[in-house]
């Protein structure tokens, strides 16, 4: 959930969103969602990222794009399932 505009702000405005996190934060994200009653789409990318080259980050973005787009366009019920799934 991090900095900037929070997912709940986007959800309240009716704007679709997907939380993109590294796998290291899967459990923490699930616990935070449970604590605040938030159900929403999430996608996980490999951890760590800080040592990736620009080319590696571009490849990661390209590899993740379709999954993120699918989450953005899924129905609410399908998107919520990804918090505990993929």
């Amino acid at each position: 959930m991090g900095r900037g505009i929070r997912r709940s702000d986007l959800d309240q405005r009716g704007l679709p969103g997907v939380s993109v996190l590294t796998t290291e934060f899967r459990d923490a994200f699930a616990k935070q969602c449970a604590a605040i009653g938030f159900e929403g789409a999430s996608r996980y990318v490999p951890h760590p990222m800080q040592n990736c080259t620009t080319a590696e980050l571009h490849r990661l973005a390209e590899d993740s794009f379709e999954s993120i787009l699918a989450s953005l366009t899924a129905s609410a019920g399908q998107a919520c399932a990804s918090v505990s799934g993929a």
Side-chain angles (χ1 to χ4, degrees):
M1 309 238 290
R3 296 184 219 151
I5 297 175
R6 298 208 180 272
R7 280 281 310 279
S8 59
D9 294 338
L10 296 175
D11 292 337
Q12 288 173 357
R13 295 178 193 172
L15 300 171
V18 176
S19 295
V20 180
L21 308 101
T22 66
T23 53
E24 181 71 18
F25 299 100
R26 183 185 300 265
D27 291 338
F29 181 70
K31 288 176 184 173
Q32 184 176 11
C33 287
I36 64 173
F38 178 77
E39 293 184 4
S42 61
R43 290 292 170 231
Y44 296 90
V45 296
H47 183 88
M49 294 178 64
Q50 69 266 22
N51 294 328
C52 290
T53 65
T54 300
E56 290 169 330
L57 290 173
H58 286 192
R59 187 170 37 256
L60 177 61
E62 289 173 9
D63 291 347
S64 303
F65 180 79
E66 291 297 326
S67 176
I68 294 168
L69 182 61
S71 292
L72 282 169
T73 58
S75 70
Q78 292 170 323
C80 291
S82 69
V83 170
S84 59

